Amino acid sequence: MSEEVLEGTDTIEAGYVTVEDLKRNDRIPPLKALERAPMPVIDCLEDIPCTPCRDVCPTKAIVMKNMIDRPEIDWDKCTGCTLCAQACPGLAINIVNYFFGKKSLRKPGYEDYSLVMIPYELTPIPRKGDVVDVYDRGGKLVGEAEVFSVIKSPKFGTVLVNILVPQGWAFEIKHVEVRRR
Amino acid sequence: MSVDRRIWEHPVLTWDRGEPVKFTFDGKGVVAYKNETIAAALYAAGIMSFTQSSILHRPRGPFCMIGKCSQCLMRVNGIPHVRTCITPVEEGMVVETENPHESEFPTPVSSLEVERKTLSYDVIIVGAGPAGLSAAISAAKAGAKVAVLDQSPYPGGQLVKQTHKFFGTKESHAGTRGVDIADVLLSEVRDHENVDLYPMAQAVGYYAPEGMLTAVRTDGVNRYTLLMMKGRRYIVATGAMERTLAFPGNDLPGVMGAGAAQTLMNVFGIRPADEVLIIGAGNVGVIIAYQAAQAGIKVKAVIDILPKTGAYLVHAAKIRRMRMPILLRHTIKAVYGDGKVESAEIYEVDENFRPVPGSEKEIRVDGIWLAVGLTPSVEMLEKFGARMKFVPELGGYVPYRTQYLETSAPGVYVAGDASGIEEASTAIMEGRIAGTSAASSLGLGGDELEEERRQAMEWLDLFRESPDYKRIKQGIQKVLMGERV
């Protein structure tokens, strides 16, 4: 018997979600919608009696008939306002501004970068300019990234940490930790 | 004191600790803060051993931190068996460990003051958690004169230790953190002049011939008031008690219920441990793992003997992405340590829950948190003479009840976890149903009250449509009595 590094069970039954699971559940926004606005990626894959995302949506883009239903997104109605990401009790919603580099930032070398907004309730809360380690849903290190901005609305009390990442990471990542500031 | 386990940085919580207060523990000085209880202050000072087992003199530490277990009993200012976890510190207090072996009678306490008070109310509610507070608000809105008793110095039940936002809908305060829901409910209670809230008042008995409930209110360690209360209706909202597990070393200080760890971390801002192993990967287990991270505590692993976490996926996923392992089909073999937890041994099980040979792993931790389920606290219901039944789906013995939550004891209602283990959101709705029903049975309220009850009942039905509620619904069917209005 020895002290070992403990590896968690790598199944969805043990809370280990992958991008494949999201794809199967139609959780990845279509390119057409991403070209128009930032879009939510909702990691809500089971029936939970929970409605704040639906209730907060100003354009009724999140559809849920009964409180136990999963949220379904009307991609045409979503404006990417981020309120659902701030309201979600499960911290399950990222907002992906997929074409941020090309359309908004316009900084040389950042054409293929996305801005991913991640809800955050840990310390230290990342600050603008910090370099953060970026992790996927299973806790695997994807790489490092720069914090572009941090939003905290007093109404919801959940911080959104907005990081600049290559487009290829945009749907993979789900967690950040401050590496240096 | 050189050791200070207090937390000074937290992403969600801040603590109003109050002024520094000095007291002595077994002759040594301890510096605490006014808003801490004795047990919290001792833990902050690094003291984990509070009492001893009576035969082998094994050290014991607090298990529940909410006044339900007996592992924090100490002699305070000469008074034996004080529940130190719910007794606030006072300047100059003398706290001593007790020797349970000691055969002499407790020394008479000359400084004890006991006052008596006789009181009458329309509705008396035992327990000021989400169910009790919601019941009080509903009954008070209908015009009832209401009393709410709670043995803790800080009402709000288990809401006060929840840093996460709750599921549910607007009607159940969804999207609001548990700790903030407690504030919302308490301020609504205080807005009603016809509600008297009695913190630090423990209901101890019910005398049927006199129709009288007795409660002991602590006004200070040496001052008590015996409350003799007559209610026209009673609502029992006493919540639940955490379960333990049988394994060698399960009594070592540092092994505690998940709720006790939450109380220390989130109510008092004190780190119960630096590195922990959590047993049970249901909602409580994974939520407390996340709360540990918020408090700066390292979670070595969350283990569960079942092949699937019982938690909502979003809660489990929150800790997985932070690299906290959830080990399924794993259980605890033993906990080791000299006077306190130093390490734990876990092992894997096969499909038949038999140990997999050679799968033992030793983990260095100084805390073991048990999140292995809850049992309804039903002692008061038994005193009222309510007919009980053991219903595994609801967590243990629970009372028979009508759809309006009246028990078989006429005029005695139940709400929240005492009626069966569910969630805070359902406790709020059950509180509304019991509160409106109690008031309505007294002829109070009108159409509005009836509508509030109807909405709460409809909400509960929709909430319980969730697949996770199938068992609970089956359990409720076993104790549902015919209609009584």
Side-chain angles (χ1 to χ4, degrees):
Chain A
M1 193 179 63
S2 60
E3 166 119 14
E4 295 175 36
V5 179
L6 299 168
E7 295 279 351
T9 312
D10 283 355
T11 60
I12 197 162
E13 284 74 28
Y16 189 100
V17 182
T18 64
V19 175
E20 290 310 310
D21 295 318
L22 299 183
K23 282 181 184 159
R24 259 200 306 279
N25 287 275
D26 290 326
R27 290 295 182 213
I28 305 294
L31 267 187
K32 214 179 99 199
L34 288 163
E35 274 166 5
R36 189 173 50 77
M39 287 287 142
V41 177
I42 306 189
D43 284 31
C44 191
L45 309 178
E46 60 188 356
D47 296 347
I48 305 177
C50 183
T51 64
C53 64
R54 176 194 72 186
D55 299 340
V56 80
C57 181
T59 61
K60 296 195 168 24
I62 297 179
V63 185
M64 197 189 293
K65 195 160 157 269
N66 300 308
M67 72 163 100
I68 63 156
D69 294 341
R70 296 167 211 206
E72 296 303 333
I73 306 149
D74 185 337
W75 303 109
D76 294 332
K77 283 189 185 166
C78 176
T79 61
C81 74
T82 80
L83 288 177
C84 57
Q86 297 177 54
C88 173
L91 306 183
I93 306 180
N94 280 5
I95 304 291
V96 174
N97 189 341
Y98 194 73
F99 295 107
F100 182 76
K102 192 158 69 184
K103 288 190 167 172
S104 310
L105 189 62
R106 298 187 184 172
K107 195 167 141 188
Y110 283 85
E111 291 81 1
D112 293 336
Y113 271 64
S114 300
L115 188 71
V116 178
M117 312 169 102
I118 299 178
Y120 208 75
E121 298 196 339
L122 298 162
T123 44
I125 293 169
R127 294 197 292 245
K128 183 181 160 76
D130 285 354
V131 173
V132 289
D133 284 329
V134 181
Y135 297 90
D136 72 5
R137 290 173 173 76
K140 277 199 205 69
L141 185 67
V142 177
E144 62 174 42
E146 189 190 322
V147 177
F148 183 78
S149 61
V150 176
I151 303 171
K152 184 176 182 182
S153 98
K155 184 175 174 205
F156 298 102
T158 296
V159 167
L160 287 186
V161 177
N162 308 326
I163 56 169
L164 269 178
V165 297
Q167 282 175 344
W169 299 4
F171 303 111
E172 291 284 340
I173 62 178
K174 191 64 193 169
H175 177 60
V176 297
E177 280 170 24
V178 176
R179 170 180 281 198
R180 61 176 185 269
R181 50 180 41 151
Chain B
M1 276 276 157
S2 53
V3 179
D4 183 6
R5 303 189 62 85
R6 288 179 185 83
I7 302 160
W8 300 101
E9 194 195 6
H10 194 281
V12 174
L13 302 169
T14 53
W15 296 278
D16 172 20
R17 299 180 196 267
E19 295 295 306
V21 169
K22 282 187 206 137
F23 68 95
T24 64
F25 170 67
D26 283 347
K28 291 184 289 278
V30 178
V31 180
Y33 291 91
K34 193 173 172 291
N35 295 337
E36 291 172 345
T37 61
I38 300 167
L42 291 176
Y43 233 92
I47 294 155
M48 295 167 77
S49 175
F50 283 45
T51 173
Q52 300 177 9
S53 68
S54 50
I55 295 170
L56 296 175
H57 295 267
R58 291 168 65 91
R60 296 268 165 88
F63 179 79
C64 82
M65 285 298 288
I66 52 170
K68 294 196 178 188
C69 78
S70 55
Q71 295 198 177
C72 72
L73 301 183
M74 290 192 193
R75 189 187 303 269
V76 180
N77 289 357
I79 297 169
H81 276 33
V82 172
R83 290 164 196 258
T84 58
C85 72
I86 53 169
T87 305
V89 293
E90 287 173 19
E91 184 70 38
M93 204 173 228
V94 178
V95 180
E96 297 161 292
T97 47
E98 293 174 307
N99 179 356
H101 227 42
E102 124 195 320
S103 52
E104 76 248 46
F105 287 105
T107 2
V109 181
S110 54
S111 57
L112 197 64
E113 291 170 33
V114 181
E115 202 189 317
R116 281 159 193 264
K117 254 188 195 166
T118 308
L119 301 151
S120 309
Y121 287 93
D122 292 326
V123 181
I124 296 174
I125 300 168
V126 185
L133 293 174
S134 302
I137 294 162
S138 295
K141 273 198 284 199
K145 191 181 172 217
V146 180
V148 192
L149 308 173
D150 198 289
Q151 62 177 357
S152 162
Y154 46 92
Q158 309 317 301
L159 288 172
V160 299
K161 38 176 116 159
Q162 307 308 337
T163 63
H164 63 288
K165 297 176 185 174
F166 278 28
F167 294 154
T169 67
K170 281 184 291 234
E171 292 77 16
S172 68
H173 307 281
T176 306
R177 298 180 203 286
V179 57
D180 297 330
I181 297 176
D183 285 342
V184 170
L185 295 178
L186 280 166
S187 81
E188 260 192 77
V189 162
R190 287 180 180 127
D191 283 347
H192 288 283
E193 281 179 5
N194 46 337
V195 182
D196 291 334
L197 185 60
Y198 293 90
M200 296 184 72
Q202 187 184 22
V204 290
Y206 177 71
Y207 296 86
E210 293 85 1
M212 189 175 71
L213 178 138
T214 51
V216 177
R217 187 178 70 189
T218 307
D219 302 319
V221 164
N222 303 55
R223 280 181 299 122
Y224 297 90
T225 304
L226 177 63
L227 303 171
M228 294 178 288
M229 308 176 93
K230 282 195 175 180
R232 297 168 71 198
R233 298 289 181 270
Y234 294 95
I235 299 173
V236 179
T238 40
M241 164 80 192
E242 291 192 281
R243 291 194 191 141
T244 187
L245 264 189
F247 55 85
N250 71 351
D251 62 339
L252 271 178
V255 179
M256 60 177 72
Q262 283 187 319
T263 304
L264 284 166
M265 283 191 303
N266 299 340
V267 178
F268 296 109
I270 292 163
R271 262 181 302 113
D274 294 323
E275 296 185 314
V276 299
L277 171 69
I278 297 172
I279 321 282
N283 277 316
V284 173
V286 301
I287 285 172
I288 198 180
Y290 192 77
Q291 293 178 354
Q294 290 180 316
I297 296 161
K298 185 172 172 63
V299 178
K300 284 282 186 83
V302 183
I303 65 169
D304 202 302
I305 197 162
L306 295 175
K308 185 186 187 313
T309 154
Y312 285 117
L313 184 56
V314 290
H315 284 318
K318 278 197 308 196
I319 69 168
R320 290 311 300 268
R321 59 185 182 249
M322 297 172 66
R323 305 183 302 292
M324 285 185 209
I326 293 179
L327 300 168
L328 299 177
R329 293 189 189 282
H330 276 73
T331 192
I332 181 105
K333 186 174 178 187
V335 172
Y336 308 105
D338 180 12
K340 59 183 200 306
V341 174
E342 287 166 7
S343 72
E345 192 179 346
I346 62 171
Y347 64 93
E348 199 177 339
V349 297
D350 64 18
E351 301 79 54
N352 302 312
F353 300 100
R354 281 190 298 250
V356 173
S359 66
E360 292 87 354
K361 292 184 191 80
E362 187 168 358
I363 313 170
R364 267 196 299 277
V365 285
D366 58 347
I368 307 285
W369 298 349
L370 300 174
V372 291
L374 299 148
T375 298
S377 292
V378 294
E379 295 84 350
M380 276 310 294
L381 287 160
E382 285 163 345
K383 288 190 203 302
F384 278 113
R387 195 172 147 230
M388 312 293 288
K389 184 182 171 75
F390 187 82
V391 181
E393 295 92 335
L394 299 179
Y397 279 96
V398 291
Y400 284 86
R401 81 294 302 263
T402 67
Q403 59 170 328
Y404 302 120
L405 300 176
E406 189 175 1
T407 67
S408 68
V412 179
Y413 296 76
V414 66
D417 274 358
S419 78
I421 305 302
E422 288 189 74
E423 303 194 17
S425 320
T426 52
I428 287 171
M429 293 301 161
E430 286 198 341
R432 284 184 197 166
I433 295 167
T436 50
S437 298
S440 138
S441 74
L442 293 169
L444 297 165
D447 290 350
E448 234 172 84
L449 190 75
E450 188 54 44
E451 178 58 16
E452 185 184 341
R453 179 165 78 175
R454 194 195 60 75
Q455 282 179 8
M457 291 174 72
E458 184 183 272
W459 191 98
L460 268 184
D461 283 345
L462 292 170
F463 192 95
R464 289 174 180 153
E465 283 301 308
S466 165
D468 293 330
Y469 267 75
K470 213 173 149 198
R471 282 193 81 231
I472 289 173
K473 271 163 67 174
Q474 287 166 352
I476 292 171
Q477 282 306 318
K478 293 183 181 174
V479 279
L480 202 58
M481 302 191 298
E483 279 196 42
R484 180 140 42 104
V485 184

